Amino acid sequence: MSSFVGVLVSDPWLQSQFTQVELRGLKSKFLLTKREKGQVTVGDLPPLMVKLKGLNEVLTEEEISAILRESYPDTGQEIEFENFLRAYLDMQGRTATKSGGSKTSSSFLKASTTTLLHTISESEKASYVAHINGYLRDDPFLKKCLPLDPGSNDLFNLAKDGVLLCKLINVAVPGTIDERAINTKRVLNPWERNENHTLCLNSAKAIGCTVVNIGTQDLVEARPHLVLGLISQIIKIQLLADLNLKKTPQLVELVDDSKDVEELLSLAPEKMLLKWMNHHLKKAGYKKTITNFSSDVKDGEAYAYLLNVLAPEHCTPATLDTKDPTERAKMVLEHAEKMDCKRYLTPKDIVEGSTNLNLAFVAQVFHRRNGLSTDNKGISFAEMMPDDVQVSREERAFRLWINSLGISTYVNNLFEDVRNGWVLLEVLDKVAPGSVAWKQATKPPIKMPFRKVENCNQVIRIGKELKFSLVNLAGNDIVQGNKKLILAFLWQLMRSSILQLLKNLRCHSQGKEMTDADILNWANKKVKSTGRTAQMESFKDKNLSNGIFFLELLSAVEPRVVNWNLVTKGENDEEKRLNATYIISVARKLGCSIFLLPEDIMEVNQKMILTLTASIMYWSLQQQPAETSESAEPTETAAEPTELPTEDTPSEIIPPSSDHDKNAVTERVSNLTFDNTISVTSETSQAENENPIQNSK
């Protein structure tokens, strides 16, 4: 099998900030300087960096030198490649600020973000505080701290222990976090805070947030731009949750014919909201088409037309007659206030075109009064669309996994978004760096159908090189949106990356491939080593449905993480569900990045059970890299349906060595399925660590 060559960086976050093309270019320039000088020092960087793209037109060599002196006073200090990359990112941030970069850089974080601008929008902050005060004011734990003062740092101070962010995630997507797993003491020690933030970040990924550039230490320190960025994503997910045909079948009214329903299925929630807005504006006689939530709504006219058609009883002709945009904005919000829709905006935000807040405002209007028919023939069509529960769950898991990788494209609808092949090529480039021939690929938007087929054919070619089983799968099957075959390919891709992670981490594997049987045997031996008798026969063992085995496995790898007083015997569906939700939250709290649902445990979904077990194994091996061969030696006799990349395959999925300094507990949020989160053991009461379920047996 051919091996793929890519530039590797030990820090996954740093790796995720660059494409392989960018890394190869920067590495080449760095090595050229090193060959010429013998070593690269701080003093060598200004003449090198002033020539780099994005810096040469904004910063002078002297300015670069001054910026570098802030971090490296000694110009003779030797610089390694990763420090050079960090310095370059810092310079990019400075250039964006100097050239008049966005004033609202706390906007929804994107996977493609390569610079962090340390500025925040006070207006956005005030709106998010109002949102939190409104939705969490009755929370038993937080109500003593609310309402927050938007003019102070109350928000950031409260966010430091992680409870607020966990609660906010549950407001956005109820049931995501089992609140029994949140550490809610009034005074938390550093390890408990770290656990809360780890739970928060892994749960945020599980609802679709992009968090490749945020770590637990960022949240512990409550860095304003990162905290607001995460909060804005969570609120956005909450506000746009109903903008799909499944939740709001009336949206089918936005298209003229049932054949166009496919178009609706492929729309991102923001695009759906724009389509809904333009639908009503057209009915109201508004001549323009709104394409964004910034410049197109600055004058307030579109809002005036929209609110007039949705709530004519509050209509005021003077709103359109006034010539002053600020005055019109005030009148629009007075109209909105009568509809109870004023929470997110001020007149200034409309006039200045604040994208995030305008989007939030329009979403709120949609929720209050969407103006769509409740008696439409198309509704029955939308409701009759096939909804295979199993397919839907797998689509969700793979979609969230892909979005957690830090690729530049955000996937909203898996089956629609992969049909042009580009997303799959991006994922393959993450899992097997250098495998994609980008010169032969076509970037969206793609008008010519044969270009989509070319992209998908390359996907299949790479899959065959990775030894995937692709007997009945061709590029055109992906273009046609064949759900069964797309899911089959993605499962092999996800499984391959998981097994490769485990193989690379286990230093004594001696080059042998990791197999499903190795994971199974490791889990059974780990539980048995603690004196417990529960075992699983396979990843489809129906006895797993009560969750007891996984709770014992989690307790085996970290005794303090499971509170057995909260565990049920799993004798009926309700008890099984309680255990399953607790398992998922405890695993995320430990540091596992997983995307399964409680139903996957209760129904023993073989694929999701494997990913859960492998994730726990990965975390455990990180804490004990020298684990004995008895508990982790590969099984030679196990059947291996999918051959993995060879050991000499350089890949971004190789984890860096973790720093286990207990005085600096940090997390590097990985750009793959699993995270490098450090969890430190502290003493707990004997009552919490005893297993009453096991004892009752």
Side-chain angles (χ1 to χ4, degrees), residues 27 44 62 219 276 451 529 591 615 619 650 681:
K27 184 86 171 184
D44 296 325
E62 291 72 22
L219 300 182
W276 168 81
R451 295 294 185 191
S529 70
S615 181
W619 183 89
T681 306

Side-chain angles (χ1 to χ4, degrees), residues 347-420:
K348 182 181 178 184
D349 298 325
I350 294 177
V351 174
E352 292 184 352
S354 172
T355 302
N356 289 348
L357 299 184
N358 277 293
L359 184 148
F361 172 68
V362 177
Q364 191 184 25
V365 172
F366 174 86
H367 283 290
R368 294 293 181 190
R369 193 176 299 194
N370 62 38
L372 298 174
S373 172
T374 56
D375 182 23
N376 189 293
K377 292 181 181 179
I379 296 176
S380 59
F381 172 80
E383 290 175 336
M384 287 190 298
M385 286 190 303
D387 183 22
D388 186 318
V389 175
Q390 187 61 40
V391 168
S392 179
R393 275 193 224 146
E394 289 193 14
E395 185 274 342
R396 171 193 170 277
F398 293 138
R399 169 169 44 85
L400 293 170
W401 173 65
I402 290 172
N403 287 333
S404 76
L405 301 181
I407 65 173
S408 60
T409 306
Y410 189 90
V411 177
N412 290 289
N413 182 304
L414 181 70
F415 299 122
E416 292 299 320
D417 293 350
V418 302
R419 288 175 62 179
N420 59 29

Side-chain angles (χ1 to χ4, degrees), residues 477-546:
D477 292 315
I478 299 175
V479 176
Q480 296 299 320
N482 186 311
K483 294 182 179 181
K484 183 178 179 180
L485 296 179
I486 289 171
L487 290 176
F489 180 87
L490 284 170
W491 166 239
Q492 292 187 78
L493 184 56
M494 185 181 192
R495 178 178 170 277
S496 174
S497 72
I498 291 170
L499 297 182
Q500 188 69 39
L501 267 171
L502 291 169
K503 175 191 169 185
N504 289 330
L505 186 61
R506 224 172 50 182
C507 57
H508 53 269
S509 64
Q510 301 174 344
K512 296 178 182 177
E513 299 295 350
M514 180 71 68
T515 68
D516 296 359
D518 291 327
I519 300 171
L520 182 73
N521 290 338
W522 172 86
N524 282 329
K525 289 177 182 178
K526 199 71 182 176
V527 171
K528 187 177 180 180
S529 70
T530 63
R532 297 180 174 118
T533 58
Q535 298 280 279
M536 64 171 166
E537 298 297 326
S538 69
F539 294 114
K540 52 185 177 182
D541 185 344
K542 293 302 180 183
N543 292 324
L544 298 174
S545 65
N546 64 17

Side-chain angles (χ1 to χ4, degrees), residues 111-132:
S112 59
T113 300
T114 56
T115 59
L116 300 176
L117 311 184
H118 295 210
T119 58
I120 64 173
S121 163
E122 289 298 328
S123 187
E124 284 188 27
K125 175 186 165 187
S127 292
Y128 301 153
V129 166
H131 180 95
I132 291 167

